[in-house]
Amino acid sequence: MTHNQTNEAVDTKKTSCNNMARFCSDEGKMIIKKFIKKLSFLNFSKYERKRSIPLLNPSKDEIERLTLKEVDSLASEKKYKKALKLIATSIASGAKTNKILLKKAFLLSQIGQYSEAHEIWEKLSNLTNKPKIAALAKKSLETSKHLQTNHINSVKLLIDTLHAIAHKYQQKLNHLPTSKDEYSGENIIPAIRREAEIARAYELPKLSSDIIEQTLQAGLESPLLINDKALTMSMLGQHKKALEILTSLEQEIKNPSIKNTIKESITNLEKSASHHQTKRSIYLIKQSKVLAISSEIEANCIPDEFNANSELEVKSLIFGVAINCIKTNPKACLRIVNSILDYFPDDGASMQLKGEALAELKRDKEAINIWAKLANSEHEETADKARQSISQLLAQKALLISAEKSPQEALSIFIDEHLKINLVPTFNELITPILNQTEPDNETLFDPELEQHQLQLQFNTIVIQRLEAQLINQSNSKNRSPAQNPAAISKTASKAG
């Protein structure tokens, strides 16, 4: 072999060795990269950018630290299932540490999987060589069992409430446990969603709405419940608001499956808006009939949905059913008139009647709140009737107060209650005995008109005096130094006098 041939062989061998070394190095790096990619919580771009830092296999402690950091971040956003997937990946990579298991148990408890969570905490609480971990696991187990009991009791109460709501609509909820005693802690949101869906299919959107709202108020959360709520709102005529809810929800949700469900709902809502609008009368008829039957009142006046004419006729007939039972069955009256307002929320006559039904049920504050809204109506007749209703109710209250307190106090309360809701206090005949008590020496007038005029003047004078007193009090409170003590001032003034 010549000298040149020898050199060529040597060079070839060196090149081969270099290539082999580079291949081994590259292959090693690829294995590590693949391992790191399995850990979704690692930001691989940092390794790409910092070429000067050697790519090393992270230790179990480092994997634990990074896992827990990312899991805590997800848990703070209530992304418990995503956090559990991350923990599963970490455990599969060999990082099955006690701290990671503690966190897994916590996440399982947050999604209602108490049995699995308690099993993990039970095992960790028996670790004799890890007293801190054991103590933490024991405390977590006790707390979780307490929370589980509260959750189960809350859901049991919800189950009974939902059955009572369905009974009001003459329906049965066959997908829920028949009683709270049959509930053992399972996730009932799918069953509740199914019942709400059936209610919509039966053209009872308010029942669907009541089921969903009661569930949300009980603390059960799910984006799919919000999705179903929007579908129900659309049937009740709140199409624009329903679309706003779904659009906002679709932007927040990351889960592809849920996101697709919401997108489908948006598409369906856009297509069905006019359809639900044309069926408002039918929905109202069906709802009013079942509520009348459950309230044990005559429902023959309510038309059949197949013979329904104009919306105005339907609304008028159902309004007649409600007003006919306001004295004998105000609870039934409230149910029926609420049905009208479910589909025609701005109907002034129905709002007025709702206030009257609430007053009959001694729910005075609610009645006044309803009438106070009507008192600002552009329709003068509607506004005037609402103001008269408020005055009548407050006068009745003043009469009761005057039996226990002075007539001046009773009149002051009567006036102040008007002012609280931005209404001008008006004379009401019911307060005549109270006014007579304030000035017993007034001579009796035999002309009714003159007597009415005198009472009106007397009342107006009291109103003016009351307003002046309030203005003086406000002025004094503004002028008083914040450091001054009203009680001290009172005592000083008393001594000075």
Side-chain angles (χ1 to χ4, degrees):
M1 183 180 295
T2 66
H3 181 70
N4 289 337
Q5 288 175 326
T6 303
N7 287 339
E8 286 176 9
V10 171
D11 290 342
T12 302
K13 190 172 183 181
K14 283 181 180 179
T15 302
S16 176
C17 289
N18 288 338
N19 289 339
M20 181 63 72
R22 192 179 298 110
F23 173 77
C24 291
S25 175
D26 291 345
E27 187 178 34
K29 285 182 180 181
M30 286 303 296
I31 290 170
I32 293 171
K33 282 183 180 181
K34 284 180 180 178
F35 173 75
I36 291 171
K37 280 182 179 180
K38 285 183 180 179
L39 306 176
S40 62
F41 51 84
L42 290 176
N43 188 349
F44 188 69
S45 60
K46 291 179 181 178
Y47 292 87
E48 289 289 324
R49 290 196 298 268
K50 298 180 181 179
R51 297 286 185 181
S52 59
I53 300 175
L55 193 61
L56 299 174
N57 192 354
S59 66
K60 185 185 286 188
D61 288 345
E62 181 66 4
I63 293 172
E64 178 191 77
R65 185 186 70 80
L66 293 169
T67 300
L68 293 175
K69 182 181 178 182
E70 185 65 19
V71 164
D72 286 340
S73 175
L74 292 169
S76 68
E77 298 174 16
K78 295 188 177 181
K79 297 178 180 178
Y80 303 122
K81 290 184 178 180
K82 192 172 182 180
L84 278 168
K85 286 182 180 178
L86 185 58
I87 280 184
T89 302
S90 177
I91 291 173
S93 300
K96 190 177 181 180
T97 68
N98 291 328
K99 287 183 179 179
I100 285 178
L101 288 173
L102 276 172
K103 190 64 71 174
K104 180 181 179 180
F106 166 76
L107 294 170
L108 287 168
S109 70
Q110 293 304 298
I111 60 172
Q113 296 183 22
Y114 292 105
S115 298
E116 294 177 58
H118 294 174
E119 187 179 345
I120 293 170
W121 277 322
E122 192 75 53
K123 289 179 181 177
L124 292 174
S125 66
N126 293 322
L127 292 175
T128 54
N129 59 334
K130 299 285 183 181
K132 287 185 179 179
I133 293 289
L136 186 57
K138 186 178 180 182
K139 186 177 180 181
S140 299
L141 180 60
E142 289 172 357
T143 303
S144 180
K145 283 183 176 179
H146 178 69
L147 291 173
Q148 182 189 19
T149 301
N150 289 344
H151 172 74
I152 289 174
N153 290 338
S154 174
V155 174
K156 282 182 175 181
L157 181 62
L158 173 64
I159 289 169
D160 277 357
T161 304
L162 293 180
H163 280 297
I165 290 170
H167 179 71
K168 187 173 74 172
Y169 289 88
Q170 299 287 288
Q171 301 297 310
K172 288 186 177 181
L173 304 180
N174 296 319
H175 291 82
L176 285 179
T178 54
S179 73
K180 63 182 182 181
D181 297 327
E182 293 184 11
Y183 178 69
S184 56
E186 66 276 13
N187 180 15
I188 64 163
I189 288 179
I192 289 172
R193 290 190 64 224
R194 179 61 182 145
E195 296 294 1
E197 182 185 10
I198 291 170
R200 293 194 296 274
Y202 284 170
E203 297 186 328
L204 291 170
K206 191 57 172 64
L207 170 58
S208 177
S209 175
D210 288 349
I211 289 170
I212 294 167
E213 282 299 327
Q214 198 67 43
T215 302
L216 292 171
Q217 287 175 22
L220 274 66
E221 296 178 353
S222 167
L224 292 173
L225 277 174
I226 305 299
N227 174 78
D228 296 350
K229 177 182 176 178
L231 294 175
T232 303
M233 289 172 67
S234 179
M235 290 183 73
L236 289 166
Q238 301 171 42
H239 177 70
K240 185 179 178 182
K241 192 174 179 181
L243 272 179
E244 287 174 358
I245 289 172
L246 286 179
T247 303
S248 175
L249 188 65
E250 193 268 331
Q251 291 172 355
E252 293 173 9
I253 297 299
K254 305 299 180 187
N255 184 298
S257 175
I258 297 176
K259 207 174 184 70
N260 287 336
T261 299
I262 296 168
K263 285 180 178 178
E264 287 176 14
S265 295
I266 291 173
T267 303
N268 291 336
L269 247 64
E270 289 170 343
K271 290 179 180 177
S272 61
S274 58
H275 170 73
H276 292 317
Q277 186 71 17
T278 58
K279 296 201 74 173
R280 273 201 307 182
S281 293
I282 293 174
Y283 298 157
L284 173 57
I285 288 168
K286 286 191 172 184
Q287 181 174 319
S288 300
K289 273 189 174 179
V290 294
L291 291 176
I293 293 167
S294 67
S295 301
E296 298 180 345
I297 62 171
E298 189 62 53
N300 291 337
C301 294
I302 300 175
D304 190 275
E305 59 261 30
F306 302 109
N307 299 323
N309 295 320
S310 70
E311 282 188 347
L312 185 61
E313 285 179 310
V314 170
K315 192 167 55 168
S316 179
L317 287 166
I318 294 172
F319 183 86
V321 172
I323 203 169
N324 284 339
C325 64
I326 188 167
K327 294 296 182 183
T328 56
N329 193 341
K331 189 176 179 180
C333 172
L334 184 60
R335 283 183 177 181
I336 302 300
V337 79
N338 271 336
S339 292
I340 298 173
L341 292 168
D342 287 334
Y343 302 95
F344 304 93
D346 299 322
D347 187 70
S350 296
M351 289 178 71
Q352 173 65 34
L353 183 59
K354 179 176 180 176
E356 292 171 13
L358 288 166
E360 287 289 333
L361 292 166
K362 307 302 179 187
R363 292 159 63 176
D364 294 352
K365 286 185 178 179
E366 293 174 74
I368 288 173
N369 286 337
I370 294 288
W371 290 327
K373 293 175 184 175
L374 288 176
N376 297 315
S377 171
E378 293 179 0
H379 192 273
E380 189 53 40
E381 189 178 338
T382 299
D384 189 51
K385 188 170 184 180
R387 287 192 287 265
Q388 288 176 15
S389 297
I390 292 171
S391 183
Q392 186 81 359
L393 192 59
L394 293 178
Q396 291 170 358
K397 184 178 176 181
L399 275 174
L400 293 173
I401 293 169
S402 68
E404 297 178 357
K405 297 182 179 181
S406 69
Q408 288 80 4
E409 283 182 275
L411 286 171
S412 293
I413 291 170
F414 177 76
I415 292 165
D416 291 347
E417 289 296 320
H418 279 84
L419 297 175
K420 278 180 187 176
I421 52 176
N422 297 318
L423 281 186
V424 177
T426 54
F427 171 75
N428 187 287
E429 288 184 357
L430 287 177
I431 64 169
T432 299
I434 307 175
L435 287 170
N436 288 334
Q437 289 178 57
T438 60
E439 294 187 18
D441 296 333
N442 280 355
E443 75 177 74
T444 305
L445 298 175
F446 297 100
D447 187 329
E449 286 188 21
L450 284 174
E451 185 180 3
Q452 180 76 12
H453 183 64
Q454 180 178 305
L455 289 168
Q456 182 69 63
L457 286 174
Q458 186 182 342
F459 176 75
N460 290 347
T461 303
I462 294 170
V463 170
I464 291 168
Q465 290 171 345
R466 183 66 182 161
L467 289 171
E468 285 177 346
Q470 287 188 358
L471 287 171
I472 291 168
N473 287 334
Q474 288 175 10
S475 177
N476 289 340
S477 64
K478 285 180 182 178
N479 294 331
R480 185 185 297 133
S481 169
Q484 287 180 307
N485 186 328
I489 294 171
S490 177
K491 289 177 182 176
T492 306
S494 175
K495 289 179 182 178

